[in-house]
């Protein structure tokens, strides 16, 4: 795997901070701490100076005693402050070093935590900022794309194994989810990217159905939405199957969603407005009279978070760029009857979209 350039990422963040007129940024999103340092523990805060050449304090990580050893392995290049009160203790130290104005991540600091920071360090101006790190994370580096590809390869291999193993008839949704998750673990997944969705029969029309005790019946549509996680990076894939011979309406619905998905993928080119990518797929569904039953956006960025910028939906702003991974996941849901969703994780490139979740999109009949 190509290594992550954490120092380079911090330098790019520092360059952005100069416009904010702050001495640095207090990073409180654990995802952002991971992206900027490599540290993957659950309790942390990070200070990134705006001008590393003139800074009175260099980048400094705080975490608690459970992570002392892990931090020294994952972040050999930074000083680490060991404390349970990560953000307040970091700020107290910075205040003592003469730092006077610090940006905070408005979307990743609770009101209570913000109030506590103001109380313990009254001499420091806290300046709310937004999306400083999120925007840097949108375009992925080769090492990030390699981890995403690995997570997607594990996911597709696990699905193919579970499909080929048979035994679907008589199984419950919960059992199917368990089989898939075990197959991903055996293939090297660190865990699931999100709670596995298995919706059968009428439950397939519930976009985020939580797998329950329902036993599969002949004639069921089966929506499976899941993903592996590797090195923090999330795969996201959905396929829709049928148990036994499909009815004509099921074949038609599947073909419609598949056409919409193809149109969405086809619209993914550097510079394409996010709303236009959604429109390309949604227009296909609307033309077939099912627009009202496509109840969510077309897709989302994916990386260290399962849902991250950019978002592809009606009213979305911005454009997609090269080396940005997104999902393309149209669905049509007929309440009480069943639904179809087909989803791939796709990387936008200058030479066309690269699909990472490469397994068949056919309506496979299971038994
Ligand atoms: N695949 C689940 C989701 O995107 O919400
Ligand atoms: Mn998704």
């Amino acid at each position: 795997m190509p290594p992550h350039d954490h120092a380079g990422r911090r330098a790019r963040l520092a360059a952005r901070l100069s416009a904010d007129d702050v001495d640095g940024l207090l990073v409180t999103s654990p995802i952002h701490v991971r992206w900027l340092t490599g540290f993957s523990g659950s309790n942390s805060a990070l200070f990134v100076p705006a001008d590393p050449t003139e800074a009175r304090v260099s980048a400094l990580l705080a975490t608690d005693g459970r992570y002392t050893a892990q931090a020294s392995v994952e972040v050999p290049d930074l000083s680490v402050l060991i404390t349970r009160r990560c953000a307040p203790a970091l700020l107290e130290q910075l205040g003592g070093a003469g730092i006077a104005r610090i940006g905070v991540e408005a979307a990743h600091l609770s009101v209570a935590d913000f109030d506590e920071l103001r109380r313990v360090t009254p001499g420091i101006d806290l300046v709310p900022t937004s999306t400083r790190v999120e925007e840097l994370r949108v375009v992925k580096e080769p090492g990030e794309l390699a981890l995403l590809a690995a997570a997607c390869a594990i996911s597709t291999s696990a699905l193919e194994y579970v499909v080929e193993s048979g035994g679907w008839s008589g199984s419950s949704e919960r059992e199917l989810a368990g089989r898939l998750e075990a197959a991903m673990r055996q293939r090297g997944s660190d865990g699931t990217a999100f709670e596995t969705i298995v919706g059968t029969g009428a439950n397939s029309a519930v976009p985020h159905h939580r797998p329950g005790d329902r036993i599969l019946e002949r004639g069921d549509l089966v929506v499976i939405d899941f993903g592996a996680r590797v090195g923090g990076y999330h795969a996201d894939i959905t396929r829709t199957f049928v148990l036994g011979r499909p009815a004509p309406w099921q074949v038609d619905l599947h073909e419609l969603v598949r056409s919409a998905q193809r149109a969405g993928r086809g619209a993914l080119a550097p510079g394409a407005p996010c709303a236009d990518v959604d429109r390309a797929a949604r227009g296909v569904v609307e033309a077939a009279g099912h627009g009202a039953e496509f109840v969510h956006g077309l897709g989302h960025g994916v990386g260290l978070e399962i849902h991250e910028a950019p978002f592809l939906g009606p009213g979305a702003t911005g454009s997609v760029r090269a080396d940005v991974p997104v999902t393309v996941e149209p669905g049509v849901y007929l309440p009480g009857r069943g639904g179809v969703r087909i989803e791939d994780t796709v990387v936008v490139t200058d030479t066309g979209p690269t699909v990472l979740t490469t397994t068949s999109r056919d309506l496979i009949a299971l038994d």
Side-chain angles (χ1 to χ4, degrees):
M1 291 286 169
H4 297 313
D5 179 11
H6 299 115
R9 293 172 186 173
R10 292 194 297 273
R12 282 191 283 138
L13 173 60
R16 284 178 65 92
L17 294 176
S18 53
D20 292 321
D21 188 26
V22 291
D23 295 318
L25 183 69
L26 175 70
V27 180
T28 44
S29 154
I31 295 289
H32 295 174
V33 170
R34 182 170 191 166
W35 189 75
L36 289 162
T37 68
F39 179 66
S40 63
S42 65
N43 183 28
S44 62
L46 171 72
F47 173 70
V48 177
D51 184 346
T53 55
E54 290 189 5
R56 277 171 281 220
V57 179
S58 44
L60 180 61
L61 174 69
T63 185
D64 68 67
R66 295 171 297 170
Y67 295 114
T68 306
Q70 181 176 327
S72 67
V73 172
E74 291 183 334
V75 194
D77 55 334
L78 294 187
S79 302
V80 181
L81 181 66
I82 299 296
T83 168
R84 279 209 74 81
R85 301 166 55 248
C86 293
L90 204 52
L91 274 206
E92 281 164 2
Q93 181 146 335
L94 296 171
I99 300 276
R101 243 173 101 74
I102 294 185
V104 294
E105 296 191 285
H108 307 286
L109 192 62
S110 71
V111 175
D113 288 345
F114 184 65
D115 281 347
E116 187 192 357
L117 292 180
R118 279 203 302 206
R119 192 170 45 75
V120 298
T121 53
I124 297 183
D125 262 352
L126 300 177
V127 181
T129 66
S130 70
T131 67
R132 292 292 174 272
V133 184
E134 284 90 335
E135 284 170 23
L136 291 173
R137 291 200 296 117
V138 169
V139 175
K140 271 46 179 189
E141 298 162 4
E144 298 182 284
L145 293 175
L147 290 169
L148 269 172
C152 289
I154 287 171
S155 308
T156 50
S157 166
L159 181 65
E160 287 168 1
Y161 168 77
V162 171
V163 167
E164 284 159 18
S165 303
W168 289 58
S169 188
S171 296
S172 70
E173 294 171 346
R174 203 189 300 278
E175 285 165 348
L176 287 173
R179 259 181 246 164
L180 198 50
E181 289 171 6
M184 288 195 289
R185 278 280 190 191
Q186 281 158 358
R187 285 160 176 72
S189 178
D190 296 331
T192 53
F194 53 91
E195 219 178 316
T196 300
I197 297 165
V198 178
T200 65
N203 293 339
S204 63
V206 179
H208 272 194
H209 176 71
R210 181 170 287 135
D213 293 326
R214 186 179 181 281
I215 306 290
L216 270 74
E217 290 173 8
R218 291 190 83 69
D220 279 352
L221 286 172
V222 181
V223 170
I224 302 188
D225 184 348
F226 69 104
R229 187 162 42 79
V230 175
Y233 286 79
H234 299 71
D236 199 356
I237 169 173
T238 307
R239 291 293 184 265
T240 301
F241 302 92
V242 65
L243 196 70
R245 279 171 65 87
W249 72 270
Q250 293 172 326
V251 173
D252 291 348
L253 197 60
H254 190 273
E255 190 47 45
L256 171 64
V257 173
R258 189 173 169 159
S259 302
Q261 210 254 0
R262 192 181 306 121
R265 278 188 281 118
L268 281 176
C274 294
D276 290 5
V277 180
D278 176 88
R279 178 106 297 277
R282 196 169 301 276
V284 174
V285 176
E286 286 173 353
H290 283 297
E293 288 133 355
F294 178 4
V295 295
H296 51 72
L298 179 65
H300 51 87
V302 64
L304 280 174
E305 291 177 284
I306 180 62
H307 297 135
E308 59 181 53
F311 293 94
L312 310 177
T317 54
S319 304
V320 294
R321 286 180 276 168
D323 297 329
V324 174
V326 292
T327 68
V328 181
E329 52 177 308
V332 176
Y333 310 96
L334 308 180
R337 293 182 79 193
V340 173
R341 179 164 68 255
I342 300 173
E343 173 180 30
D344 286 304
T345 299
V346 180
V347 182
V348 180
T349 80
D350 289 322
T351 52
T354 302
V355 177
L356 299 183
T357 42
T358 51
T359 196
S360 168
R361 296 182 199 92
D362 291 347
L363 178 58
I364 295 173
L366 305 162
D367 53 24

